[in-house]
Amino acid sequence: MTLRFRTVFWTAAGLAVLATIIWSFWPKPVRVDTAPAATGSMTVEIRDEGRTRIRDVYAIAAPVSGRLLRLDLEAGDRIETGDVLARILPSEPSILDTRSQGEAEAAIHLAEAALSAARAEAQTAASVLDLAREDHTRIDRLRATGIASQAQLDRAAADLRGAEAAANRAQAAIRMREAEIEAARIHLHGAGSGAQTTAIFDIRSPINGVVLQVRRESEGPVAAGAPLVEIGDLAGLEIVAEFLSADAVQTEPGDSASITGWRRDAPPLPARVRRVEPYGFEQFSPLGVEEQRVNIVLDFTGPPEDWGALGHGYRVEAAITVWQRDDALQVPVAALFRHDREWAVYRIETGRARLTPVVIGQDNGIQAEVLEGLSAGDRVVLYPGEGVTDGVGVRERSVIE
């Protein structure tokens, strides 16, 4: 009995030691982070910095030489059409010879012809504005019945704002041409008289808007053509962003966009691409790399009160949507790696990592669209390291690990 007990005891002890040795050297599952391949909405955007600008900035210059009276305007002041921006006491007119007098008379005729052309353009702009209003009203009714989409209504609203801006520009052009005629007549009025004029020449605003810059404030002599003030209408605010040419070719007019970075904790402002400029230019990045850039012009599509705090030349960030799909099968970019010049992932199957080639479509830097190789619900390994190989056992890392 004693011999049998010893035999059983040492046999059991040997088996236990052998099992311990085998367990110690048995390959342990590799702890990994995982994520599922899921179907959902996916968007690809191009992003870059931009700045706001007023579409039409009016640089008001002195039409005649003389003495400028002190300007009471300051940047940010609201102005209405016809408000006096500056006042000039014209200098003594010089005696004009026959040739100069003929040139002055020709300048009046030229200004009158330009006024006629401006009035014709104003009529055309008024017709376009009436058509844009009718289109907007019609699409608004169709939107209420569900026939037209919100995108069509937004596009009609943008067209209406553009037509209104064009009509305002046409009216401003008429007032500017009238001012040119007045200045030309003042120049001719004193021809050959040599008398000192005491009439004060008032420079009036051609638009409703705000004062952007006061270029000359103090009283003193001023030459014809000298810049005095810059004015503009903030209702015509737009965004111009400098995108890499490789990104710019992916977008086109009408693409939706969002504007961020203009105020802390502010929601994105909706916008739409109006124009992709055809001219590229070279620019150096902060790292000294030469880049080819293209200006993309965007319009706000939301109500003006949402972006009313913005002004001319403010920095913003523009994100343009170049691709979107609601039912895209996608995986995190962190799961992808190159294998035999193709994309691949490690798919988890019954506790083991299986090397799985995949075909990738769109990529937004965070998620990648999967065209072939995976199905919805498959789990893949994130950031696969050297310890993860085809067929190796894996265990998903818990949160506390």
Side-chain angles (χ1 to χ4, degrees), residues 26-209:
W26 193 267
K28 295 182 176 61
V30 179
R31 292 186 175 89
V32 294
D33 295 317
T34 65
T39 301
S41 177
M42 182 177 174
T43 301
V44 177
E45 298 177 330
I46 56 174
R47 294 177 174 269
D48 222 311
E49 290 186 1
R51 66 183 184 278
T52 60
R53 71 180 183 189
I54 294 178
R55 187 174 303 152
D56 297 302
V57 175
Y58 294 82
I60 306 301
V64 296
S65 299
R67 185 172 187 82
L68 174 69
L69 303 184
R70 181 174 179 82
L71 274 65
D72 295 329
L73 297 174
E74 294 183 358
D77 287 350
R78 297 290 307 181
I79 54 174
E80 302 292 336
T81 301
D83 287 352
V84 176
L85 302 178
R87 311 188 76 189
I88 298 178
L89 182 64
S91 59
E92 178 181 356
S94 59
I95 299 176
L96 300 180
D97 55 21
T98 304
R99 178 179 177 181
S100 299
Q101 186 172 355
E103 290 177 349
E105 292 175 350
I108 293 178
H109 296 322
L110 179 62
E112 290 174 345
L115 177 60
S116 300
R119 286 173 176 167
E121 292 178 358
Q123 293 177 353
T124 302
S127 300
V128 174
L129 177 59
D130 292 339
L131 180 60
R133 285 173 177 166
E134 293 175 0
D135 289 343
H136 181 267
T137 302
R138 182 174 61 257
I139 294 177
D140 191 21
R141 291 199 212 98
L142 295 177
R143 178 70 181 108
T145 59
I147 298 177
S149 65
Q150 184 63 39
Q152 290 175 308
L153 181 60
D154 292 342
R155 191 175 297 109
D159 292 341
L160 177 58
R161 286 193 293 270
E164 290 174 344
N168 292 334
R169 288 196 300 271
Q171 293 298 324
I174 292 176
R175 291 187 287 270
M176 291 181 68
R177 298 307 181 188
E178 291 173 345
E180 290 176 357
I181 293 175
E182 184 179 355
R185 286 175 177 169
I186 289 176
H187 180 62
L188 182 62
H189 178 71
S193 65
Q196 176 75 28
T197 179
T198 57
I200 295 179
F201 187 85
D202 291 338
I203 303 176
R204 300 183 180 275
S205 172
I207 62 167
N208 298 331

Side-chain angles (χ1 to χ4, degrees), residues 241-246 248 276-281 292-296:
E242 299 174 352
F243 281 85
L244 291 172
S245 58
V276 180
E277 295 187 354
Y279 178 78
F281 56 91
Q292 196 74 13
R293 295 271 176 175
V294 175
N295 282 335
I296 296 181

Side-chain angles (χ1 to χ4, degrees), residues 277-338:
E277 295 187 354
Y279 178 78
F281 56 91
E282 294 179 353
Q283 189 179 73
F284 286 94
S285 70
L287 299 178
V289 179
E290 185 177 350
E291 299 174 335
Q292 196 74 13
R293 295 271 176 175
V294 175
N295 282 335
I296 296 181
V297 183
L298 306 99
D299 290 326
F300 292 106
T301 57
E305 53 269 21
D306 289 349
W307 43 270
L310 289 170
H312 182 70
Y314 285 33
R315 177 194 170 277
V316 296
E317 294 180 3
I320 302 175
T321 301
V322 296
W323 181 87
Q324 187 174 12
R325 185 174 175 181
D326 294 331
D327 58 348
L329 178 62
Q330 51 194 300
V331 295
V333 173
L336 298 172
F337 60 92
R338 301 295 285 184

Side-chain angles (χ1 to χ4, degrees), residues 313-389:
Y314 285 33
R315 177 194 170 277
V316 296
E317 294 180 3
I320 302 175
T321 301
V322 296
W323 181 87
Q324 187 174 12
R325 185 174 175 181
D326 294 331
D327 58 348
L329 178 62
Q330 51 194 300
V331 295
V333 173
L336 298 172
F337 60 92
R338 301 295 285 184
H339 178 74
D340 291 338
R341 299 183 180 181
E342 302 290 341
W343 288 110
V345 297
Y346 281 114
R347 177 172 55 89
I348 298 178
E349 181 181 334
T350 62
R352 295 189 176 276
R354 299 299 181 185
L355 179 65
T356 305
V358 293
V359 178
I360 298 301
Q362 296 290 334
D363 173 8
N364 61 14
I366 299 176
Q367 298 288 117
E369 180 192 19
V370 180
L371 301 179
E372 296 179 11
L374 293 175
S375 301
D378 289 344
R379 299 195 69 83
V380 295
V381 177
L382 300 179
Y383 310 104
E386 295 181 356
V388 180
T389 57

Side-chain angles (χ1 to χ4, degrees), residues 215-274:
R215 305 290 296 274
R216 173 73 181 271
E217 181 178 1
S218 300
E219 179 179 349
V222 64
L228 301 179
V229 295
E230 289 185 1
I231 61 175
D233 185 4
L234 289 175
L237 202 65
E238 63 185 12
I239 308 105
V240 56
E242 299 174 352
F243 281 85
L244 291 172
S245 58
D247 291 336
V249 297
Q250 301 180 57
T251 187
E252 59 184 11
D255 285 348
S256 60
S258 61
I259 307 301
T260 58
W262 61 281
R263 191 177 67 187
R264 295 177 181 174
D265 301 328
L269 298 174
R272 191 172 301 278
V273 175
R274 175 160 55 88

